[in-house]
Amino acid sequence: MNNLFQNALKQLEKVNELIKLENNIYSQLQAPQKFLEVSVPVRMDDGKIKVFTGYRSQFNDARGPFKGGIRFHPDVNIDEVKALSAWMTWKTAVVNIPLGGGKGGVIVNPKELSQGELERLSRGYIDAIYKLIGPDVDVPAPDVYTDPKIMAWMMDEYEKLAGLHRPGVITGKPLSIGGSEARGYSTAQGAVYVLNEAVKKIGLEKGCTVAIQGFGNAGRFMAKLLQNEGYRVAVLSDSKGTICNYMGLNVEEVERHKDNTGSVANYPGAEDRGEMHCLEHEVDILIPAALENSINTDNVNVIKAKLIVELANGPITPEAEEVLAKKNIMVVPDILANAGGVAVSYFEQVQNAYGYYWKEGEVLEKLKDLMIKSFNEVWKEKEKYNTTMRIGAYALAVKRVAQAMKDRGRS
Ligand code: NAD
């Protein structure tokens, strides 16, 4: 199994060959500035106490408060949380928002908890990390299996402990308590803005075909937005199956089918392609929106797409990426492609600080400007170093972080 944090360090090593950081800086980017492991005792509905393990990784705060989501998943582990916190550092830098990078997680399958147990776990996790977070220190947000309702409990717990209103301590909140318009679909929306730019660069047309691996939070919004933009969403998959229709699937109908049956599999409007895997299909654009390491040396050779836009974090292993580069398949990397979520989280913090809220159109306009500007800046670095978009994005981000560290006298 690929170790995600080792992958993150390998990517940094590769970019360092190009940008040649001072050793004093490079050595500080090999590990999080701070890493906390906590035990969270939760009273279960049967009256017994169950102890959950949680983490918070604060990778780098040279450019601003640590920023990153909280994942509730049975596979959460130290290396994963560290890797995700490093990627958050590069992500906030690549879109040039004044934040650093962090990430949190709890080892739990939230589907096995009652609502009461989930609430007590969410509040308990905040009790455990309370001293480490705050609007000017470290600002969590949702990630896999956490949502606005959980963010609301967490913010409420923080404010109770602080004895103050501090909505900016957490982003991804419901609108009623300081959330931002468009936050719910901002990750996918940001990815659409950069996908449109990439499509122009490689000469694809708007009606071209798309496959999306993963039909969860991020994948569903992406499918709907791309369909509205005029792309043909030809292939959709989830953990239980893949469906295909090269004329374009009706995404809203697929969504209803999934809500009724629990999967996209057996959707009646799809052509029967047997057991063909999502990655194998003859499409122009492939969007991994499921899990880490889902494109690896075992399956990379079946990919026929011309463009890959990483909606998931870390879906391509470094070894598989080398194969894609040789085949001239363009990859828009996660730290740029899915940065729309953290960008609107930042807008949410700004609105919380002002106590003044923007309309949806205003948020989208700001997001579009930010994503297109970032895409063009990454493209420039890619051209400058004659490299891939990932290395271009890393070069841009790591140089920004290094500059901030240097200016603070941390080198
Ligand atoms: P999710 O759990 O809602 O969805 C994951 C989807 O992947 C599910 O439909 C699941 O069935 C599917 N899946 C699992 N294994 C699969 C397989 N082998 N083949 C095909 N599909 C499979 O999670 P999410 O929130 O949509 O996040 C997905 C990815 O996007 C993660 O890497 C996450 O870090 C990243 N991401 C999400 C957001 C967000 O706003 N939700 C923001 C930034 C990044």
Side-chain angles (χ1 to χ4, degrees):
M1 184 65 185
N2 253 282
N3 176 317
L4 274 199
F5 191 54
Q6 291 309 318
N7 285 358
L9 292 182
K10 266 189 224 165
Q11 288 161 339
L12 183 62
E13 190 184 335
K14 217 164 162 188
V15 77
N16 192 40
E17 286 164 15
L18 284 182
I19 63 171
K20 307 211 182 324
L21 292 170
E22 285 173 36
N23 275 340
N24 286 347
I25 300 254
Y26 186 54
S27 58
Q28 292 180 71
L29 296 174
Q30 300 298 307
Q33 285 176 216
K34 201 178 276 183
F35 189 88
L36 182 69
E37 175 172 334
V38 293
S39 294
V40 186
V42 175
R43 173 118 20 226
M44 305 303 276
D45 291 346
D46 64 5
K48 292 190 185 131
I49 297 266
K50 189 167 173 185
V51 182
F52 294 88
T53 303
Y55 306 106
R56 184 80 191 161
S57 174
Q58 299 184 328
F59 193 80
N60 189 287
D61 71 343
R63 302 184 69 260
F66 301 104
K67 181 86 191 90
I70 298 165
R71 181 172 289 201
F72 280 2
H73 196 279
D75 298 336
V76 162
N77 61 71
I78 291 176
D79 284 312
E80 180 186 68
V81 177
K82 283 185 181 174
L84 290 163
S85 70
W87 287 328
M88 283 306 298
T89 307
W90 315 138
K91 202 177 290 186
T92 53
V94 104
V95 290
N96 211 6
I97 52 180
L99 295 168
K103 199 80 183 189
V106 177
I107 305 173
V108 59
N109 183 353
K111 292 178 183 166
E112 290 171 357
L113 302 188
S114 69
Q115 284 297 294
E117 289 167 345
L118 189 61
E119 178 173 353
R120 291 192 288 280
L121 173 64
S122 305
R123 290 182 183 276
Y125 176 71
I126 291 301
D127 295 343
I129 67 164
Y130 167 72
K131 288 234 159 90
L132 236 65
I133 62 170
D136 303 316
V137 187
D138 181 352
V139 183
D143 191 63
V144 176
Y145 291 161
T146 54
D147 59 14
K149 180 178 61 188
I150 292 177
M151 296 305 111
W153 290 329
M154 288 183 168
M155 182 198 80
D156 186 63
E157 189 67 16
Y158 181 89
E159 290 189 339
K160 273 187 192 159
L161 292 168
L164 300 161
H165 279 288
R166 281 288 178 270
V169 67
I170 290 213
T171 58
K173 303 179 294 289
L175 281 176
S176 62
I177 50 172
S180 175
E181 292 286 355
R183 176 64 183 84
Y185 61 93
S186 53
T187 302
Q189 184 66 68
V192 170
Y193 293 139
V194 292
L195 181 146
N196 282 339
E197 297 306 301
V199 159
K200 283 187 237 160
K201 291 279 185 202
I202 61 173
L204 287 169
E205 300 282 327
K206 266 258 174 109
C208 63
T209 50
V210 183
I212 303 179
Q213 182 195 39
F215 199 61
N217 271 332
R220 281 183 193 220
F221 280 123
M222 191 71 189
K224 280 191 273 192
L225 292 169
L226 286 177
Q227 187 169 54
N228 291 344
E229 292 262 327
Y231 292 92
R232 266 186 294 153
V233 178
V235 181
L236 288 171
S237 76
D238 61 20
S239 56
K240 296 189 184 127
T242 299
I243 55 170
C244 168
N245 185 339
Y246 285 112
M247 297 310 291
L249 293 157
N250 181 328
V251 178
E252 275 172 14
E253 273 181 18
V254 176
E255 196 168 32
R256 273 195 292 277
H257 175 80
K258 173 145 182 155
D259 289 340
N260 291 334
T261 66
S263 171
V264 299
N266 303 316
Y267 167 69
E271 295 169 27
D272 187 5
R273 297 261 150 185
E275 288 300 295
M276 219 167 140
H277 194 276
C278 174
L279 305 180
E280 290 173 53
H281 285 269
E282 195 83 48
V283 290
D284 299 302
I285 305 173
L286 173 64
I287 299 173
L291 302 175
E292 290 89 12
N293 294 334
S294 61
I295 298 176
N296 49 56
T297 44
D298 293 339
N299 58 24
V300 65
N301 281 309
V302 302
I303 293 174
K304 300 180 186 77
K306 301 175 188 76
L307 170 66
I308 300 180
V309 178
E310 292 185 329
L311 197 57
N313 283 307
I316 304 178
T317 65
E319 296 77 19
E321 174 121 28
E322 281 174 23
V323 178
L324 294 170
K326 277 191 197 126
K327 288 166 86 177
N328 236 349
I329 298 175
M330 190 204 280
V331 177
V332 182
D334 48 8
I335 60 168
L336 171 64
N338 69 34
V342 73
V344 176
S345 270
Y346 161 61
F347 295 157
E348 183 174 331
Q349 280 181 272
V350 173
Q351 293 169 82
N352 292 154
Y354 273 88
Y356 179 75
Y357 291 85
W358 309 333
K359 291 190 181 125
E360 188 175 9
E362 208 175 336
V363 176
L364 291 177
E365 199 182 313
K366 288 180 171 42
L367 178 64
K368 187 173 181 182
D369 284 353
L370 188 82
M371 296 305 293
I372 294 178
K373 183 168 180 279
S374 306
F375 180 92
N376 288 327
E377 286 174 341
V378 168
W379 189 265
K380 237 166 127 180
E381 293 290 295
K382 165 194 153 15
E383 299 282 283
K384 178 174 160 192
Y385 293 110
N386 188 23
T387 184
T388 60
M389 279 208 82
R390 185 182 316 278
I391 300 294
Y394 265 72
L396 181 67
V398 176
K399 283 192 287 188
R400 281 178 177 158
V401 173
Q403 186 64 47
M405 290 172 73
K406 211 168 152 181
D407 290 343
R408 283 173 182 274
R410 291 191 193 171
S411 68

